[in-house]
Amino acid sequence: MNLKKVLSCLCCLLCIISSRAQQTNLKYNEHHRPQLHFSPAAKWMNDPNGMVYFQGTYHLFYQHFPGGTTWGPMHWGHATSKDLVHWQQKPIALYPDSLGYIFSGSAVADVNNTSGFGKKGQVPLVAIFTHHDPKGEKEGKENFQNQSIAYSVDNGNTWTKYAGNPVVKNPGIRDFRDPKVMWFAAGKKWIMTLATKDRITFYSSPDLKNWKKESEFGEQRGAHGGVWECPDLFPLALNGKTYWVLLVSINPGGPNGGSATQYFIGQFDGHTFKSDQQQTRWIDYGPDNYAGITWSNTGSRKIFLGWMSNWNYANEVPTDTWRNSATVPRDLGLVNIKGQILLTSHPSPELNKLAGKPVAIASSEIAKTGSLKVTNHIKLPGQYTLEFKLDKIDSYSIEMFNDQGEKLILGYNKAEDRYFIDRTHAGLSGFNPGFAGIAYAPRLTAASSGDLKLVVDASSVELFADQGLTVMTSLFFPAKPYQQLIIKVNKETVVKRLVLAPMKSIW
Ligand code: FRU
């Protein structure tokens, strides 16, 4: 072993020891620490990776740098959950090696043992990820990102990298990464959806080791304000018909600046993806939901999880021992709005198990003055959900604030027919000049009734409107937690139901 290798092993060892020590003492109660969302015990996190459900356990891997709170040489961190809500931190699953850093990717349960990695009836879990070679990148090469695999035959506890890596070699495309693999039952083959610069390339394989290029999609389609990353492809049914959904994250070029995830609805036949969707659609219009993909091996249910940040400022947000977290898990669905098939997101129902006693507020209380101080009904600060049903939708706003003059305002503007989250004066924002501001999202239905669900945590809000048609996720960093909550409605708004539920911490 040369000196460089010894030093790098030593460094890994120190990382493990320090992160274990931090985990044991950790109360997850630091200022701004999410209480309803997964975040790493310590250090840096970006994209969720390798999400697979296997034998009653949800696995979550994630882009992780155990050596610091900014992006660095990427590892796959690992956490598991029995209920999608409470997470147990596990040892790092994949370390960088001679082929490079471990970039984003996916994992599958190879139930038919097509890979042959399972012995004596074992079902191997197989991770498919990008090896990013920083040396090649520095040298100005084009082919420094390649796809590799690793497998586990002990329920994801330990992983062995395949000796034949990489399994998909780079043909000379600088951005060639983030493989998402699924079993295409009709063709009895695996399909890899790969981000290849400004388009998606589909590959197929009988055994996860040998891959053949099938087709490309998207060069002239959708948003192209930045490079395409972290795709996902899966079927969803609506009224007995199957549609295929293609998620594509782009950075920059999101609807409110920086990173965001667009989607295409179409058809996939095992070879090509076709979509006649004309408009660009976003799974979440807020600034802070990126690189999200769905869990594999969950049957027809599709559960999505995003990274709750934005590359514009992810390295600078004002947290101390750890940096960044995931969104809440969301169940995806489809609806038909005037002949257009649209994607919906709902907080996964498992979150309800965190709910304390819900408080229903009589609509007459809000009707009196058009303004309601909710802190008379719920104890703040704390994390909570708020649900709102409107018989007749008109402008409304919800304000969260503290006694330092910091205020987050969100709501719906009827004249502009759009939702907004205004974090201009929400708290700390000096860490990045682009952070403070107002994010907007269109209303995608003309229904006269409306609804809203908010998931509010220590430093984030997730807004789901119109049965999950319009979604916005936004971070905020108040110097002191918000202790006040006021709802203001325009006189035309008829509130039918307003329910608040305090939420227990997941930690
Ligand atoms: C998306 C991304 C991926 C890449 C990873 C690196 O946020 O840029 O494309 O694999 O992060 O950490």
Side-chain angles (χ1 to χ4, degrees), residues 46-47 63 71 74 103-104 177-178 229-230 290-291 311:
N46 58 293
D47 316 352
Q63 289 286 279
W71 191 90
M74 284 291 110
F103 269 23
S104 286
R177 58 179 180 266
D178 309 338
E229 300 183 316
C230 298
Y290 192 59
W311 280 117

Side-chain angles (χ1 to χ4, degrees), residues 116-249:
F117 290 137
K119 300 285 173 256
K120 298 189 203 135
Q122 291 164 330
V123 172
L125 293 180
V126 181
I128 310 94
F129 57 90
T130 300
H131 255 130
H132 170 100
D133 171 22
K135 216 167 128 255
E137 182 184 24
K138 236 194 218 141
E139 288 164 3
K141 291 191 178 140
E142 296 291 321
N143 62 352
F144 54 89
Q145 295 185 333
N146 294 279
Q147 317 321 315
S148 290
I149 58 178
Y151 62 93
S152 168
V153 287
D154 60 1
N155 295 333
N157 281 325
T158 58
W159 292 82
T160 307
K161 289 184 190 125
Y162 175 50
N165 281 338
V167 292
V168 179
K169 287 211 178 105
N170 191 318
I173 302 172
R174 266 188 78 77
D175 297 290
F176 189 74
R177 58 179 180 266
D178 309 338
K180 179 73 161 73
V181 172
M182 60 155 300
W183 178 246
F184 185 72
K188 293 200 178 62
K189 59 183 181 180
W190 299 99
I191 295 293
M192 178 192 291
T193 305
L194 192 70
T196 50
K197 196 178 163 198
D198 56 353
R199 67 196 73 176
I200 297 302
T201 305
F202 298 102
Y203 293 82
S204 69
S205 169
D207 57 5
L208 296 163
K209 296 170 178 164
N210 297 288
W211 293 93
K212 172 179 125 201
K213 180 173 167 177
E214 292 282 353
S215 61
E216 294 178 354
F217 171 83
E219 190 194 352
Q220 310 281 347
R221 307 293 301 274
H224 280 276
V227 67
W228 284 22
E229 300 183 316
C230 298
D232 195 357
L233 175 75
F234 51 87
L236 273 180
L238 177 67
N239 301 329
K241 189 170 169 206
T242 298
Y243 296 85
W244 285 79
V245 181
L246 177 65
L247 303 182
V248 177
S249 283

